[in-house]
């Protein structure tokens, strides 16, 4: 019997530049916030803009997280994702309108109950819709990118037209529940209550999602599936079922994002999902396909940058996202934190 | 001679040949066969969209590249003519300068996007083109000083191409500048279509098809896949821009809604897939069916909606404004069941 080999496992510390390189994407958000502060100058406007940028980023993240996971798991990109956003908004707003007796009174409890009811209804409907979408539209076209894109775009058209059929062709204006109207003043800056709420809500959701993904068995399988689906299947897990679960959850989250966005904008149209989808795609691309953290950072960057630029140079606000995407792709062609290698 | 003109790519189906000849004859004689402003508008629209959709098919059907930026190139051509006509004054020189500038700008922009994103897979390119195209559409509506914003631009074209110019009568139809304009559109579209047919049936086109089928093998044989894809994107963008210029010359108006909107992109996609991907003739059939449906299906649906008025939901489903719903369903079905579209079906039957 030979003695155990005398080499001990060593942990080689990464060199400082490498560590900074890895952390770079995480640093981008604070850097952008500081840059925004320097170029805006006034503390109160900066604070207002930062909060609304973060709120917008959180909402985009909620819509983008499901999409990027679905892509990572099964290599399916769903161009119909935007339709779920619209459907969620319409269902949620319908519930809020129906519960007008709860939303019209200045009672925090009733108001929150109405919003929760709207959110639950929207998530149930879009989740179910996602399930049907997966069965009918996506299932026959695994592995064929061209067909996937075409068919999901077809689904987008049909769902959007169905919204017109059910809710009529006009845009719907709405007002937020009484207690969510108005603003609070903090350090001389007026901050809308709803935006603060959206930030908190988004953060809670992000932390919750991270906990599920990092601490639970199902999260482990999902993450492993995103990294290497074949290996997970070889270990005996039914990736297809996991995928359906993630697809439904992603669709429900899109619906949730739709409700939140509708309340943020106070107007909803059938085409809103299409417009949001462009932002969602930008976020998914710059975050790195399949990466939830990347999508989170990307969404915050998009939200903050858009709000800062809208203040400094209104005409360039919507172009700023493309500029951001181009810059990030020049720096890291696969996105900031790629999980799936984009071939 | 005929085979040369069609670059050896015959319709290869009796029914298809008949349909194509009927469409060609109808378009060639449109001012005489269907007098009236609306039908002439429809005919010109069909001509222009055939070029636009065929140029998109060069990407989608022949190269397997999904782009959502095609309306952006279309719009570039249209705005080229509009801006040149606004700033240089009415005249043929403005039309020519605007057309060339639009096509060159489209090709350069396509080159830039291609260099950035064609190395990666189809999905990535599709997402990036969608984002870029939406940014350009926003930019155009924001820079109202230059582009007229949401209102778009109205401008004058040479008098010889407007209804005010009278030439005399032929077969009882008075020949105006509008009809000359129509024939400009018709012959330019025909020439561009034949050019595209030439391109896809050239060795270059065959390499594109090889890349579409298996880019890995094409690379292994020694073709530089990225170069070919980028070239196809540039060519397709330039032709789309030319179609846009024709559209601008015909309409004498350019605006974001008519040239840049995502709806038009969806229309193009529907036309290519329903007509048949990977066949230039599919563009002809797809556009004709689609534009006729757009213009006349709505009337039919209005009648149907009226007839079912008492029933729940069905009248809303049959509302004339919901025609896109039915084309969307047809679109999904044709991706699944007729991936080669109408033309593919017709060819398979012979």
């Amino acid at each position: 019997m030979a003695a155990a080999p005398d080499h001990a496992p060593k942990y080689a510390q990464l060199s400082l530049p490498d560590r900074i390189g890895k952390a770079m994407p995480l640093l981008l958000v604070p850097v952008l916030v500081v840059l925004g502060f320097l170029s805006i100058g006034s503390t109160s406007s900066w604070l207002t803009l930062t909060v609304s940028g973060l709120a917008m980023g959180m909402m985009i993240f909620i819509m983008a997280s499901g999409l990027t996971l679905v892509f990572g798991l099964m290599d399916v990109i769903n161009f119909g994702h935007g339709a779920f956003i619209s459907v969620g908004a319409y269902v949620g707003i319908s519930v809020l309108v129906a519960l007008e007796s709860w939303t019209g009174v200045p009672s925090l409890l009733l108001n929150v109950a109405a919003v929760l009811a709207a959110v639950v209804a929207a998530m149930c409907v879009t989740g179910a819709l996602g399930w049907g979408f997966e069965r009918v539209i996506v299932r026959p076209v695994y592995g064929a990118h061209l067909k996937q894109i075409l068919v999901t775009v077809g689904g987008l058209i049909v769902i959007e037209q169905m919204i017109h059929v059910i809710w009529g062709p006009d845009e719907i204006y709405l007002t937020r529940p009484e207690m969510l109207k108005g603003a609070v003043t903090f350090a001389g800056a007026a901050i809308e209550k709803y935006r603060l709420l959206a930030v908190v809500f988004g953060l809670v959701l992000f932390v919750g999602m991270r906990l599920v993904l990092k601490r639970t068995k199902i999260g482990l399988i999902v993450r492993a599936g995103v990294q290497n689906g074949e290996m997970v299947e070889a270990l005996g897990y039914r990736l297809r079922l996991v995928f359906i679960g993630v697809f439904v959850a992603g669709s429900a989250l899109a619906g949730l994002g739709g409700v939140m966005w509708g309340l943020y904008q106070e107007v909803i149209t059938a085409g809103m999902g299409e417009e949001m989808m462009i932002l969602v795609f930008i976020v998914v691309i710059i975050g790195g396909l399949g990466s939830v953290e990347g999508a989170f950072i990307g969404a915050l960057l998009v939200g903050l940058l858009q709000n800062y630029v809208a203040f400094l140079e209104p005409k360039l606000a919507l172009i700023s996202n493309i500029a951001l995407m181009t810059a990030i792709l020049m720096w890291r062609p696969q996105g900031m934190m790629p999980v799936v290698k984009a071939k | 001679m005929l085979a040369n003109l069609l670059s050896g790519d015959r319709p290869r189906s009796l029914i298809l040949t008949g349909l194509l000849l009927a469409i060609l004859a109808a378009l060639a004689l449109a001012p005489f066969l269907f007098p009236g402003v609306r039908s002439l508008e429809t005919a010109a629209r069909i001509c222009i969209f055939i070029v636009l959709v065929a140029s998109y098919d060069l990407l989608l059907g022949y190269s397997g590249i999904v782009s959502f930026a095609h309306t952006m190139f279309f719009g570039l051509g249209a705005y080229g003519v509009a801006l040149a006509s606004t700033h240089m004054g009415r005249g043929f020189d403005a039309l020519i300068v605007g057309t060339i500038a639009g096509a060159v700008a489209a090709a350069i922009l396509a080159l830039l996007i291609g260099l950035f994103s064609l190395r990666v897979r189809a999905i990535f390119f599709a997402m990036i083109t969608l984002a870029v195209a939406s940014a350009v559409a926003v930019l155009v509506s924001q820079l109202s000083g230059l582009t007229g914003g949401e209102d778009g631009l109205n401008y004058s074209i040479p008098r010889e191409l407007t209804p005010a110019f009278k030439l005399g009568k032929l077969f009882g139809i008075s020949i105006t500048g509008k009809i000359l304009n129509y024939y400009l559109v018709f012959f330019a579209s025909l020439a561009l279509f034949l050019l595209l047919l030439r391109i896809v049936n050239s060795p270059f086109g065959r390499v594109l098809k090889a890349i579409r089928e298996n880019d890995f093998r094409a690379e292994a044989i020694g073709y530089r896949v990225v170069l070919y894809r980028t070239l196809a994107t540039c060519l397709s963008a330039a032709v789309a821009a030319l179609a846009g210029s024709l559209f601008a010359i015909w309409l004498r108006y350019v605006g974001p809604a008519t040239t840049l909107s995502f709806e038009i992109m969806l229309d193009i996609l529907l036309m290519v897939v329903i007509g048949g991907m990977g066949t230039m003739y599919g563009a002809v059939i797809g556009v004709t069916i689609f534009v006729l449906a757009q213009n006349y299906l709505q009337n039919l649906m209005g009648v149907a909606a009226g007839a079912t008025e008492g029933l729940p939901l069905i009248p809303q489903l049959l509302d004339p404004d919901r025609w896109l719903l039915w084309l969307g369903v047809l679109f999904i079905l044709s991706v699944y069941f007729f991936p080669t579209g109408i033309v593919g079906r017709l060819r398979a039957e012979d």
Side-chain angles (χ1 to χ4, degrees):
Chain A
M1 279 292 272
D6 56 356
H7 67 256
K10 279 197 210 79
Y11 177 69
Q13 181 100 30
L14 284 175
S15 67
L16 190 66
D18 278 353
R19 271 186 292 163
I20 293 178
K22 262 187 143 42
M24 269 306 271
L26 299 170
L27 289 175
L28 276 180
V29 174
V31 166
L32 183 62
V33 170
V34 171
L35 278 181
F37 183 70
L38 292 179
S39 49
I40 288 166
S42 135
T43 318
S44 58
S45 342
W46 170 76
L47 199 59
T48 311
L49 290 172
T50 306
V51 171
S52 60
L54 286 176
M56 189 175 158
M58 294 292 178
M59 285 184 267
I60 298 174
F61 165 70
I62 292 171
M63 301 176 207
S65 54
L67 193 72
T68 198
L69 273 181
V70 160
F71 181 83
L73 265 179
M74 295 302 247
D75 199 16
V76 168
I77 197 97
N78 179 10
F79 274 76
H81 200 72
F84 300 142
I85 297 173
S86 302
V87 170
Y90 271 82
V91 172
I93 297 324
S94 303
V95 171
L96 280 180
V97 169
L99 293 176
E100 208 158 356
S101 54
W102 291 10
T103 58
V105 291
S107 146
L108 188 62
L109 196 68
L110 279 180
N111 287 173
V112 170
V115 172
L116 277 182
V119 163
V120 170
M123 288 181 77
C124 288
V125 171
T126 49
L129 192 65
W131 184 72
F133 201 79
E134 198 277 338
R135 280 196 75 96
V136 178
I137 304 267
V138 180
R139 189 168 295 181
V141 286
Y142 281 129
H145 281 160
L146 187 69
K147 281 192 171 181
Q148 267 171 23
I149 297 173
L150 295 177
V151 155
T152 52
V153 167
L156 172 78
I157 298 174
V158 171
I159 295 180
E160 256 189 33
Q161 293 293 316
M162 286 307 290
I163 290 178
H164 285 302
V165 168
I166 296 171
W167 280 281
D170 299 322
E171 51 206 27
I172 298 179
Y173 293 89
L174 63 138
T175 51
R176 289 176 203 144
E178 285 297 320
M179 292 305 287
L180 299 180
K181 282 181 190 162
V184 291
T185 316
F186 177 78
I191 297 169
E192 274 190 57
K193 284 186 204 162
Y194 182 74
R195 293 184 183 175
L196 268 182
L197 187 79
V199 173
V200 173
F201 198 63
L203 263 183
V204 168
L205 214 73
F206 174 64
V207 172
M209 200 181 294
R210 262 190 78 96
L211 282 180
V212 169
L213 280 175
K214 301 256 155 154
R215 296 263 187 271
T216 63
K217 174 110 185 238
I218 185 81
L220 184 74
I221 298 172
V222 169
R223 276 187 300 134
V226 170
Q227 293 273 0
N228 190 339
E230 280 174 23
M231 191 64 87
V232 174
E233 291 211 296
L235 288 171
Y237 294 104
R238 291 168 68 185
L239 203 56
R240 279 206 38 79
L241 284 183
V242 179
F243 172 73
I244 294 171
V246 170
F247 198 96
V248 170
S251 311
L253 284 175
L256 169 64
V259 181
M260 292 177 70
W261 190 255
L263 281 171
Y264 183 71
Q265 296 279 325
E266 300 189 281
V267 56
I268 55 172
T269 62
M272 67 181 276
E274 235 168 69
E275 291 157 28
M276 289 313 295
M277 205 170 56
I278 290 162
L279 283 181
V280 167
F281 278 157
I282 292 177
V283 162
V284 169
I285 291 172
I286 65 181
L289 299 169
S291 159
V292 175
E293 281 83 8
F296 185 68
I297 297 171
L300 292 187
L301 288 178
V302 165
L304 286 169
L305 189 68
Q306 180 150 340
N307 275 281
Y308 291 153
V309 177
F311 179 78
L312 296 167
E313 194 62 57
K315 280 183 191 284
L316 296 180
L318 288 155
I319 306 300
S320 68
N321 301 320
I322 297 295
L324 179 71
M325 185 176 83
T326 316
I328 299 260
L329 286 183
M330 294 221 304
W331 176 44
R332 293 196 171 173
Q334 310 276 345
M336 287 187 294
M337 300 177 159
V339 176
V340 188
K341 207 165 170 296
K343 278 175 265 185
Chain B
M1 161 70 186
L2 194 62
N4 257 338
L5 215 51
L6 296 182
S7 316
D9 188 1
R10 292 161 194 279
R12 296 208 308 276
S13 152
L14 259 180
I15 305 173
L16 181 61
T17 313
L19 279 175
L20 289 173
L21 282 177
I23 293 171
L24 180 68
L27 289 178
L29 302 172
F32 304 101
L33 288 176
F34 319 103
V37 179
R38 188 176 167 204
S39 49
L40 200 61
E41 286 292 336
T42 310
R45 210 181 156 78
I46 291 178
C47 290
I48 292 163
F49 269 77
I50 285 175
V51 175
L52 181 62
V53 170
S55 70
Y56 189 65
D57 198 28
L58 176 65
L59 277 187
L60 183 68
Y62 285 89
S63 322
I65 301 170
V66 186
S67 155
F68 285 100
H70 219 58
T71 46
M72 176 173 82
F73 302 126
F74 184 62
L76 270 177
Y79 273 97
V81 167
L83 289 174
S85 295
T86 315
H87 292 290
M88 295 171 62
R90 80 199 299 193
F92 284 102
D93 52 343
L95 299 188
I96 293 167
V97 168
T99 305
I100 293 173
V104 170
I108 291 174
L109 195 55
L111 181 69
L112 285 179
I113 300 177
L115 287 181
F116 251 101
S117 42
L118 274 177
R119 289 166 192 284
V120 291
R121 55 175 141 184
I123 280 174
F124 217 61
F125 188 70
M127 290 197 284
I128 286 181
T129 49
L130 182 64
V132 172
S134 78
V136 168
V138 167
L139 197 64
V140 166
S141 57
Q142 292 281 317
L143 297 175
S144 46
L146 183 67
T147 60
E150 290 292 332
D151 296 334
L153 293 168
N154 279 299
Y155 44 87
S156 342
I157 56 171
R159 194 168 166 275
E160 288 78 6
L161 297 175
T162 62
F165 182 73
K166 301 257 192 290
L167 261 177
K169 281 193 173 246
L170 194 65
F171 305 122
I173 305 284
S174 62
I175 305 295
T176 63
K178 196 74 184 165
I179 291 181
L180 292 184
N181 196 342
Y182 175 77
Y183 278 108
L184 171 72
V185 168
F186 173 77
F187 283 111
S189 302
L190 188 64
L192 283 172
F193 181 78
L194 292 176
L195 174 73
L196 282 170
L197 209 53
R198 179 72 261 170
I199 289 173
V200 296
N201 289 297
S202 66
F204 174 74
R206 233 159 287 147
V207 177
L208 288 184
K209 280 191 226 174
I211 293 173
R212 174 191 71 190
E213 293 305 325
N214 191 331
D215 57 344
F216 188 70
R217 281 190 198 168
E219 184 89 52
I221 302 171
Y223 292 112
R224 297 178 60 188
V225 169
V226 175
L227 182 75
Y228 275 89
R229 281 190 175 149
T230 311
L231 267 179
T233 314
C234 292
L235 265 175
S236 152
V239 176
L242 293 177
S245 303
L246 286 178
F247 198 54
I249 294 172
W250 171 253
L251 272 187
R252 288 179 287 163
Y253 162 78
V254 163
T258 51
T259 52
L260 288 169
S261 68
F262 189 63
E263 279 74 39
I264 296 180
M265 192 62 240
L266 290 182
D267 291 353
I268 296 174
L269 211 60
L270 292 172
M271 294 180 203
V272 170
V273 171
I274 292 173
M277 283 185 279
T279 59
M280 281 294 152
Y281 299 119
V284 180
I285 304 283
V287 170
T288 310
I289 289 178
F290 192 90
V291 175
L292 289 181
Q294 197 169 19
N295 281 308
Y296 301 105
L297 179 75
Q298 293 193 356
N299 301 349
L300 203 70
M301 287 177 67
V303 174
T308 53
E309 207 158 354
L311 303 171
L313 201 64
I314 294 179
Q316 277 92 29
L317 284 174
L318 292 174
D319 190 276
D321 289 338
R322 295 288 80 75
W323 64 285
L324 199 57
L325 172 68
W326 298 103
L327 280 176
V329 172
L330 180 64
F331 174 80
I332 295 176
L333 292 179
S334 61
V335 173
Y336 284 147
F337 301 110
F338 319 108
T340 49
I342 295 174
V343 168
R345 290 295 288 182
L346 288 176
R347 281 185 170 175
E349 269 167 19
D350 271 24

